[in-house]
Amino acid sequence: MNSEQIKNSLNISPAIRVGVLGFGGLGQAAAKVVAGKREMILVAAADQKGYAYAADGLNTEESIATYQSQGSVGYLEPVGTLTNQSIQDLIEIAEVDGYFLALPNLPNDFIPTVAKQFIKSGWRGVLVDAIKRTTAVEQLLAMKEELQAAGITYMTGCGATPGLLTAAAALAAQSYAEIHQVEITFGVGIANWEAYRATVREDIGHMPGYTVETARAMTDAQVEALLDKTNGVLTLTNMEHADDVMLEVAGIVGRDRVTVGGVVDTRNPKKPLSTNVKVTGRTFEGKISTHIFTLGDETSMAANVCGPAFGYLKAGRQLHQRGIYGIFTAAEIMPQFVR
Ligand code: NAD
């Protein structure tokens, strides 16, 4: 018996073949997360200048080292390819069960455009994003029937916020007969902004006087000049964050009752405050109370985004195998723990 037959006879399902689109801060962290899992194997990675694909698995350390020293996984010998249409090329040649889209959502319809590319190609499988803006999630939700018809199970808003914290709010809501308020406050500490350029640019887009477009158009020098003025700290309030539409679509609370804000320190890996979600409601007995779910301060943004993303990829895979396609949010489906 070969190893595949042994696995089958033991009723062990083969590892889920995953790909990571976007190989910046989160994409590389995602590769490291998968490296520690036996139920998943990283077979594909793509960035703006190329991709790497190996059916029997990519070497995580070499992939990251190549990206960091040469700027693209396309340089990875012998499995890399340089191209300016890496996503399209991977869709055509790679056998992948599910992709995590660790891509910048700049402009605000970029990830929806990528989803359309998958639909058009005839590819079938699971897609997971950690997209943040309400308007971006709305664009994806509007594609439900196209995704269904294409045989794609799309899991949206599956990072930390939206994602882990939205799911926690959905769970906390179960104690109440009526939900009054969901308040998400995040603290992010990163050692330098260059490790997460898209995340920082997208956050700047939430500041007063800025939009997604102005943030996208900023040069690196302009981002640095802005960060110099604020001592590296971005304070964000009343953000347009998809946690609101996700909790509304799940039937839990109207979007006007959901607020998201936070503090991002781009010069210190220590969190400036503890990330938490507070869910206030009224119980069936008429008591008003607040559940608070707080993340451990030692957990990084990368841990709290990539862990859930793959948990939802596994859940999406189970739906896909049962013939359930379309689009689901982190507030509707329980993530599955990836061993
Ligand atoms: P980054 O800037 O570090 O990396 C982006 C990567 O995408 C780069 O490798 C780049 O080459 C690649 N890329 C860009 N255009 C591409 C294209 N057309 N084809 C293929 N690859 C392309 O980004 P990041 O800071 O890791 O953030 C990624 C995303 O994660 C952002 O959209 C951010 O908003 C999101 N995010 C979500 C959460 C959450 O909790 N939901 C938290 C943090 C970040």
Side-chain angles (χ1 to χ4, degrees), residues 177-210:
E178 185 181 80
I179 317 302
H180 295 161
Q181 183 74 34
V182 176
E183 189 183 346
I184 292 173
T185 311
F186 63 83
V188 168
I190 50 181
N192 60 80
W193 85 276
E194 288 95 339
Y196 293 97
R197 284 171 206 261
T199 303
V200 172
R201 273 209 175 73
E202 288 177 36
D203 282 342
I204 290 172
H206 287 277
M207 290 169 63
Y210 292 86

Side-chain angles (χ1 to χ4, degrees), residues 137 140-141 144 148 153-158 162-171 174 242-243 245-252 312 315-316 319 324-336:
V137 167
L140 286 159
L141 292 174
K144 180 179 180 174
Q148 241 162 11
T153 306
Y154 194 110
M155 315 296 286
T156 190
C158 298
L164 183 58
L165 297 172
T166 338
L171 192 58
Q174 302 300 324
D243 308 80
V245 66
M246 289 161 61
L247 290 166
E248 184 173 279
V249 168
I252 293 166
Y312 281 103
L319 295 175
I324 301 168
Y325 314 131
I327 185 160
F328 303 91
T329 80
E332 290 172 90
I333 304 286
M334 188 68 105
Q336 297 295 309

Side-chain angles (χ1 to χ4, degrees), residues 20-24 28 44-52 63 66-68 70-76 81-88 90 102-104:
V20 173
L21 302 183
F23 211 60
Q28 292 169 46
D47 57 55
Q48 205 162 11
K49 297 187 207 138
Y51 68 83
S63 304
T66 303
Y67 183 89
Q68 290 184 350
Q70 291 174 270
S72 174
V73 286
Y75 290 104
L76 184 65
T81 303
L82 292 167
T83 161
N84 57 13
Q85 44 158 31
S86 59
I87 298 175
Q88 188 59 37
L90 267 184
L103 293 162

Side-chain angles (χ1 to χ4, degrees), residues 115-281:
K116 289 214 170 84
Q117 218 176 325
F118 273 96
I119 291 170
K120 240 182 159 174
S121 72
W123 180 87
R124 296 166 77 87
V126 182
L127 297 176
V128 179
D129 71 39
I131 208 164
K132 293 207 271 199
R133 290 221 171 224
T134 304
T135 43
V137 167
E138 282 172 333
Q139 290 173 41
L140 286 159
L141 292 174
M143 289 161 58
K144 180 179 180 174
E145 279 162 20
E146 288 168 76
L147 288 162
Q148 241 162 11
I152 292 172
T153 306
Y154 194 110
M155 315 296 286
T156 190
C158 298
T161 165
L164 183 58
L165 297 172
T166 338
L171 192 58
Q174 302 300 324
S175 300
Y176 303 120
E178 185 181 80
I179 317 302
H180 295 161
Q181 183 74 34
V182 176
E183 189 183 346
I184 292 173
T185 311
F186 63 83
V188 168
I190 50 181
N192 60 80
W193 85 276
E194 288 95 339
Y196 293 97
R197 284 171 206 261
T199 303
V200 172
R201 273 209 175 73
E202 288 177 36
D203 282 342
I204 290 172
H206 287 277
M207 290 169 63
Y210 292 86
T211 63
V212 178
E213 276 316 305
T214 53
R216 182 190 178 208
M218 284 169 83
T219 62
D220 285 1
Q222 286 171 324
V223 172
E224 264 150 40
L226 170 68
L227 293 174
D228 275 342
K229 272 197 241 159
T230 63
N231 208 13
V233 176
L234 302 175
T235 303
L236 306 156
T237 51
N238 277 320
M239 299 171 81
E240 184 218 305
H241 243 235
D243 308 80
D244 62 357
V245 66
M246 289 161 61
L247 290 166
E248 184 173 279
V249 168
I252 293 166
V253 65
R255 65 177 77 189
D256 53 322
R257 301 293 186 100
V258 181
T259 62
V260 181
V263 179
V264 181
D265 189 341
T266 61
R267 294 183 179 167
N268 187 347
K270 191 174 177 302
K271 280 188 196 187
L273 57 89
S274 300
T275 298
N276 67 85
V277 52
K278 298 191 177 88
V279 182
T280 302

Side-chain angles (χ1 to χ4, degrees), residues 16-33:
I16 302 172
R17 297 166 299 184
V18 302
V20 173
L21 302 183
F23 211 60
L26 283 182
Q28 292 169 46
K32 289 184 196 164
V33 167

